[in-house]
Amino acid sequence: MQNLKQTVETAAQLATDTELLLPHIELHANCRAVIDGCRGIVAYDETCVKLNCGAFLLTLHGDALCMEQLCGAHISVSGILVSLELSSL
Amino acid sequence: MRKGFFFSFLRGSVTFVADGGFPERFLNLCNVRGIVLFSPQMHQKTLTATVRRSDYCRLRDVAKRSGMQLRAQEKHGLPFFLRRHRAHLALPVAGAAFAVLAFVLSGFVWSVESDGCARVSRTEVLAVAEELGLRAGVWRKNVDTAAISQEAMRRLRGKVSWFGVNLCGMRAVIEVHPYLDPGEDETYGEPANLVADFDGLLLSLQVHSGRAAAPVGTGVRKGDLLISGVSVDRYGRSHLYEARGVATALHDDVLRVELPEQTAGGGYAKVQTVPALRLLHLTIPLGMFPPSRDFDVFTVFRQAQWGGVSLPLGLVLQTRCYRTERPGQSTFALLLDEYTRAFESRYEKTNVLSTALSLRQSADRYILTGESRCIDYIGESQKINAE
């Protein structure tokens, strides 16, 4: 049964359960980042936003960073993004 | 935020500033408790954000737990607006009353309009319509346009070929076409132009035969050409025929009536203009006036208009001429009767917009002068000398 599920997922190119649990990060050029699956905010100011993404820590560096949306696990950060850093907790 | 601006306005929102403590913990606690923050911005450890009015009270506990000082910066929305203006309760009440009034009034006919035609005057058309129940102030749904049209055509048989009632919003517009004898339209008389028979501002020009020679909206002098009876074809040949059409113009007219002093009992009399406001059927006098009934009255109704739309209210100007204390009919009453007769005779087919009366006494006679602004049919036939 498990094999059949994996076969179907592979054939249909569906995201696996493991992938669905992981955070999703979407970048719109260097002006906007949308993070889905965020578990909390660690630091927030105009130049740096640190987010707890469960498996790792996501750090966004830039200028005039502003949190546009904060709704559950969904966060949208806008501003001039310079770098993105992933580090273990 | 922009999409839900209207609902946000209805619910009300508060923009706050929070400083000190742990802003990140504050944000996380808000997120966990389901408090939605709009546009949270951090500037030098000071957090600025907007929340719904209902969520603002819940923020106090969050701020206490994260050690932040919270203060409201701005309050937006309807609940705050109403609270701010609760002393001026009349404002929203007046707004609601206006909305209700507009809704109720939209169910009535505000004005009945007609231009009449060559065979039937505007006054006659409106009188027939009023007899059949179509007048300002009737409930719009009670107006049976088809029945009124049929009955009016029956009453005006031989004068009109078509009597149509159209309800345009709150206006009832009556379209009338004159009755033409069989063959009348085809038989043209001698070649003639249509020229202005008085000075005025040309308001409309409807050409039945001929060529329009004066643009609408311009002033015309007596004798100016309105419709030309001469046309030139593509071969350069001139054709002459009788120019026909209907033109209206705005102009000022003076009607003067005078009587010698010894015509009647004579004596002192006073002329007073009494303004009143008319709303549908209701007439409200504007001011306090003596309750005396010993006067003759001449009334002019000026309907209010806004953007070309006739409103259900207007100004009634009553010119009261108080009679003398001596027995018998005064000179002024005779003058007024004379003026009324002359007015009805001269302005039978004229739309009189306003009239100002003035009374003057010369050596041995009284002179009553009325200056009227009116819309009148303009144009008289002037034969073309073809020789």
Side-chain angles (χ1 to χ4, degrees):
Chain A
M1 193 64 184
Q2 188 67 27
N3 290 338
L4 178 65
K5 190 181 173 189
Q6 278 180 0
T7 312
V8 171
E9 280 176 355
T10 313
Q13 295 182 340
L14 295 173
T16 59
D17 290 344
T18 326
E19 283 173 358
L20 285 172
L21 289 172
L22 291 173
H24 287 244
I25 302 166
E26 194 177 308
L27 279 176
H28 296 244
N30 68 336
C31 56
R32 195 171 176 217
V34 180
I35 301 104
D36 212 354
C38 174
R39 295 190 181 178
I41 301 159
V42 178
Y44 173 36
D45 62 29
E46 288 173 306
T47 55
C48 173
V49 177
K50 273 188 190 176
L51 303 171
N52 176 6
C53 294
F56 55 87
L57 193 71
L58 172 67
T59 310
L60 300 169
H61 295 282
D63 280 330
L65 295 182
C66 172
M67 211 172 285
E68 278 185 338
Q69 218 173 4
L70 174 60
C71 183
H74 183 88
I75 288 179
S76 167
V77 179
S78 67
I80 303 165
L81 294 168
V82 176
S83 69
L84 184 146
E85 186 184 323
L86 298 171
S87 54
S88 58
L89 281 168
Chain B
M1 182 76 176
R2 199 170 292 169
K3 281 179 188 172
F5 177 78
F6 179 68
F7 294 105
S8 172
F9 175 77
L10 287 184
R11 281 195 294 251
S13 59
V14 180
T15 302
F16 66 90
V17 176
D19 48 11
F22 305 97
E24 291 83 10
R25 183 169 160 72
F26 179 84
L27 289 172
N28 286 328
L29 281 172
C30 286
N31 202 8
V32 167
R33 294 187 182 194
I35 299 170
V36 181
L37 298 178
F38 299 102
S39 308
Q41 287 180 357
M42 189 76 85
H43 182 67
Q44 293 175 351
K45 289 288 177 188
T46 302
L47 179 74
T48 310
T50 304
V51 286
R52 288 179 191 143
R53 188 178 67 105
S54 52
D55 286 342
Y56 185 68
C57 298
R58 294 166 64 200
L59 276 182
R60 294 187 187 283
D61 186 47
V62 175
K64 195 177 171 184
R65 279 172 172 268
S66 55
M68 297 194 79
Q69 303 284 329
L70 198 69
R71 65 173 191 279
Q73 197 177 38
E74 284 176 28
K75 293 172 180 178
H76 315 272
L78 188 65
F80 296 110
F81 178 83
L82 290 178
R83 183 177 291 179
R84 210 178 306 141
H85 293 93
R86 66 185 161 192
H88 313 291
L89 196 64
L91 198 69
V93 170
F98 176 77
V100 171
L101 189 70
F103 179 74
V104 171
L105 284 178
S106 65
F108 290 95
V109 171
W110 288 9
S111 64
V112 183
E113 296 167 15
S114 174
D115 286 336
C117 65
R119 294 207 170 188
V120 190
S121 70
R122 173 179 168 274
T123 319
E124 195 175 352
V125 170
L126 294 181
V128 170
E130 190 165 352
E131 281 172 19
L132 297 173
L134 179 61
R135 61 179 177 278
V138 295
W139 192 244
R140 213 151 52 98
K141 287 185 178 172
N142 290 350
V143 177
D144 187 352
T145 53
I148 291 172
S149 298
Q150 283 186 357
E151 180 60 24
M153 281 171 70
R154 195 183 63 76
R155 291 191 186 190
L156 297 171
R157 185 170 292 162
K159 290 181 177 177
V160 299
S161 61
W162 171 249
F163 189 105
V165 180
N166 300 319
L167 289 176
C168 311
M170 278 73 74
R171 292 184 309 149
V173 180
I174 301 175
E175 296 280 350
V176 185
H177 287 275
Y179 177 80
L180 298 172
D181 292 327
E184 184 184 344
D185 210 16
E186 286 74 26
T187 54
Y188 290 98
E190 293 179 3
N193 291 323
L194 197 74
V195 297
D197 52 345
F198 55 82
D199 299 348
L201 177 71
L202 194 63
L203 296 180
S204 69
L205 183 63
Q206 193 180 356
V207 180
H208 295 162
S209 69
R211 183 175 50 82
V216 173
T218 57
V220 287
R221 302 294 301 268
K222 186 178 179 181
D224 282 357
L225 187 63
L226 299 177
I227 301 173
S228 170
V230 183
S231 74
V232 181
D233 64 13
R234 59 179 176 165
Y235 303 108
R237 290 178 299 202
S238 296
H239 296 274
L240 301 178
Y241 42 86
E242 186 186 4
R244 284 183 184 181
V246 180
T248 57
L250 179 75
H251 70 116
D252 293 328
D253 195 29
V254 178
L255 180 62
R256 205 167 88 155
V257 175
E258 52 186 72
L259 276 182
E261 195 175 3
Q262 61 271 23
T263 305
Y268 176 76
K270 188 175 70 171
V271 177
Q272 186 185 26
T273 303
V274 178
L277 188 72
R278 184 181 288 174
L279 178 68
L280 295 176
H281 290 305
L282 202 67
T283 305
I284 307 156
L286 301 174
M288 300 290 286
F289 299 99
S292 167
R293 294 197 169 274
D294 194 23
F295 57 76
D296 296 298
V297 68
F298 181 79
T299 306
V300 172
F301 176 56
R302 196 182 298 168
Q303 191 155 22
Q305 295 210 335
W306 187 42
V309 178
S310 299
L311 300 179
L313 72 164
L315 192 67
V316 179
L317 291 173
Q318 275 190 352
T319 304
R320 294 179 178 180
C321 291
Y322 290 91
R323 298 188 191 111
T324 56
E325 291 176 358
R326 292 184 194 179
Q329 203 175 16
S330 73
T331 309
F332 299 98
L334 283 173
L335 254 180
L336 202 64
D337 283 347
E338 189 67 25
Y339 183 84
T340 308
R341 272 197 296 276
F343 187 90
E344 284 172 356
S345 162
R346 183 186 285 198
Y347 301 124
E348 189 196 0
K349 292 186 178 181
T350 303
N351 181 8
V352 180
L353 302 176
S354 64
T355 300
L357 286 180
S358 63
L359 185 68
R360 191 161 55 84
Q361 185 178 11
S362 68
D364 58 341
R365 55 185 58 232
Y366 288 102
I367 302 164
L368 185 64
T369 309
E371 292 178 6
S372 303
R373 172 151 293 188
C374 37
I375 297 174
D376 208 348
Y377 290 107
I378 187 173
E380 63 179 358
S381 197
Q382 188 181 57
K383 284 182 184 175
I384 301 172
N385 192 359
E387 296 171 4

